[in-house]
Amino acid sequence: PPPQQGHPAASPPSRQDPRLLARVVELAFAGRCVGEIDRQLHLEGFLTSTGTPWPRSNDGRVVVRALFRAGVAPLPGGDARVARYVKELQEKGYGRAARGG
């Protein structure tokens, strides 16, 4: 099932383009896992916060943080690295009210 909206833990503002952040949330609500979201951002030609093209292969950390900031629980999609990062951020207080995944 797609993630549910929640309230993120306090975190610094994102350096990412607001359009990219909106697309990340839109894809999450469509039921896409973190890896799929990363691949889609690359296919759609989004840029990183430094202005370089979104990489074809990514570790998912930016997407995970963006989802937690938006109050959406990231779906690891079977990626152990992403699952570890989600758990690490949850232990730091991210996503306390976020549901889904």
Side-chain angles (χ1 to χ4, degrees):
Q4 301 291 315
Q5 186 83 23
H7 299 286
S11 61
S14 177
R15 297 177 303 180
Q16 301 298 328
D17 182 323
R19 293 170 295 187
L20 178 136
L21 298 173
R23 185 63 174 138
V24 166
V25 171
E26 178 183 23
L27 291 166
F29 275 110
R32 306 293 271 296
C33 71
V34 171
E36 292 170 329
I37 293 171
D38 261 331
R39 284 188 291 282
Q40 190 64 38
L41 295 175
H42 169 76
L43 291 172
E44 292 179 17
F46 279 95
L47 301 177
T48 67
S49 63
T50 61
T52 60
W54 198 267
R56 178 176 299 141
S57 177
N58 210 340
D59 64 9
R61 289 176 176 250
V62 171
V63 170
V64 168
R65 287 191 307 269
L67 290 171
F68 274 138
R69 282 188 182 105
V72 179
L75 297 174
D79 186 323
R81 291 177 309 161
V82 171
R84 278 192 303 273
Y85 189 59
V86 167
K87 184 178 179 187
E88 178 184 317
L89 288 183
Q90 286 171 328
E91 289 170 353
K92 292 179 179 180
Y94 280 72
R96 289 213 187 268
R99 296 183 318 195

